[in-house]
């Protein structure tokens, strides 16, 4: 079984998957990986996301989950995720606010099974067929739970998507977005972007040896 460090290194690779593939086959993989591994969304929520749900302003970026109403909440978007999601935002064929965030090539909504299959196929082609949507969400939960202390249980619960029951009039409060952001930045090793995330450009058609060296570089073994 891969170690935690190996999983994190592979997650880093997924966040740059669109940098080396021909065409648009891997274009959505970094966004899917970011939403699950950096924002903590379970796979079943991805197909319902709309462009209007995202605020991608630097420093205050967040995601507004409004459906279902009983689980409405604001999720902080760390800087690495903001960069990746902004790329997806800009390349979407349908730019309307009501359009789905994850779109197919014609601008239509990607269904849940389509998203799962797309990610599964990409992971298989990239060499880690075991890294499914559920596997990546489990990695996020593991990293966040490591930060648990007696005083931040509610914040951990909210970041992990659990419903927080607040007693009316009690002193307990729901953690704000800034507090959740600080906790995520401490929990996620890839929360802050690295130089090569936005500057590495890889061309296809290189020799196998050179391509393997680049893959090791993405995994953090060379830089």
């Amino acid at each position: 079984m891969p170690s935690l460090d190996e999983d994190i290194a592979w997650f880093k690779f997924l966040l740059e998957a669109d940098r080396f593939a021909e065409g648009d086959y891997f274009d959505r993989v970094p966004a899917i990986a970011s939403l699950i591994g950096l924002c903590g969304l379970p796979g079943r929520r991805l197909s319902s996301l709309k462009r209007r749900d995202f605020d991608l302003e630097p420093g205050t970026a967040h995601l507004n989950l409004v459906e279902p109403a009983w689980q409405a909440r604001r999720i902080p978007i760390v800087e690495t995720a903001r960069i990746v999601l902004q790329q997806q935002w800009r390349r979407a064929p349908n730019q309307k606010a009501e359009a789905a965030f994850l779109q197919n090539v014609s601008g239509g909504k990607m269904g849940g099974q389509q998203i799962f299959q797309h990610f599964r196929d990409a992971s298989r082609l990239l060499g880690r067929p075991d890294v499914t949507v559920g596997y990546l969400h489990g990695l996020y939960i593991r990293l966040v739970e490591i930060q648990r202390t007696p005083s931040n249980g509610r914040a951990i619960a909210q970041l992990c998507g659990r419903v927080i029951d607040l007693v009316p009039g009690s002193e307990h409060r729901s953690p704000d977005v800034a507090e959740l952001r600080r906790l995520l930045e401490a929990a996620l090793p890839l929360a802050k972007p690295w130089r090569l995330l936005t500057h590495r450009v890889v061309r296809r058609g290189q020799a196998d040896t050179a391509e393997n060296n680049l893959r090791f570089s993405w995994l953090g073994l060379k830089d």
Side-chain angles (χ1 to χ4, degrees):
M1 181 176 180
S3 68
L4 182 59
D5 286 344
E6 288 172 329
D7 280 342
I8 292 170
W10 193 260
F11 181 29
K12 181 179 180 182
F13 182 37
L14 289 175
L15 293 173
E16 294 189 325
D18 61 338
R19 299 293 177 185
F20 70 94
E22 288 181 342
D24 63 356
Y25 188 80
F26 290 118
D27 280 357
R28 301 166 196 83
V29 172
I32 295 171
S34 291
L35 290 168
I36 298 169
L38 293 176
C39 299
L41 293 184
R44 67 180 182 276
R45 300 299 301 268
L46 302 190
S47 64
S48 64
L49 296 176
K50 297 182 178 181
R51 289 170 58 83
R52 70 179 183 192
D53 299 332
F54 291 80
D55 180 335
L56 297 176
E57 287 296 316
T60 60
H62 62 274
L63 170 61
N64 292 305
L65 286 186
V66 296
E67 297 176 355
W70 58 269
Q71 203 176 8
R73 57 196 173 103
R74 298 176 79 187
I75 297 176
I77 298 177
V78 296
E79 184 61 11
T80 295
R82 189 192 71 80
I83 291 173
V84 172
L85 295 174
Q86 191 169 61
Q87 291 172 341
Q88 183 67 34
W89 173 280
R90 290 171 176 169
R91 65 163 61 110
N94 188 341
Q95 297 281 316
K96 294 181 180 179
E98 293 297 320
F101 183 76
L102 293 173
Q103 303 174 15
N104 55 34
V105 293
S106 61
K109 171 184 174 180
M110 290 184 73
Q113 289 304 314
Q114 187 180 8
I115 292 172
F116 291 167
Q117 189 63 49
H118 185 81
F119 191 83
R120 188 181 302 118
D121 289 346
S123 294
R124 177 178 53 81
L125 291 171
L126 294 171
R128 279 288 300 272
D130 59 309
V131 180
T132 62
V133 165
Y135 189 101
L136 195 56
H137 188 250
L139 174 62
Y140 169 89
I141 298 295
R142 288 169 65 193
L143 292 171
V144 171
E145 285 287 355
I146 290 174
Q147 300 295 316
R148 180 181 289 277
T149 67
S151 62
N152 68 8
R154 289 179 177 273
I156 293 291
Q158 186 160 332
L159 287 174
C160 292
R162 305 187 189 106
V163 178
I164 302 175
D165 293 324
L166 297 179
V167 179
S170 73
E171 62 182 8
H172 300 298
R173 61 176 181 80
S174 179
D176 61 27
V177 176
E179 180 180 350
L180 295 176
R181 188 187 310 280
R182 288 192 294 270
L183 185 54
L184 267 189
E185 289 174 345
L188 303 179
L190 301 179
K192 295 183 179 181
W194 51 99
R195 179 176 56 86
L196 298 182
L197 177 67
T198 54
H199 294 292
R200 185 186 300 281
V201 177
V202 180
R203 293 177 295 182
R204 298 289 290 177
Q206 297 171 336
D208 289 345
T209 300
E211 189 168 295
N212 286 337
N213 285 340
L214 287 169
R215 173 172 293 191
F216 292 143
S217 179
W218 286 320
L219 292 173
L221 303 178
K222 284 187 177 183
D223 194 355

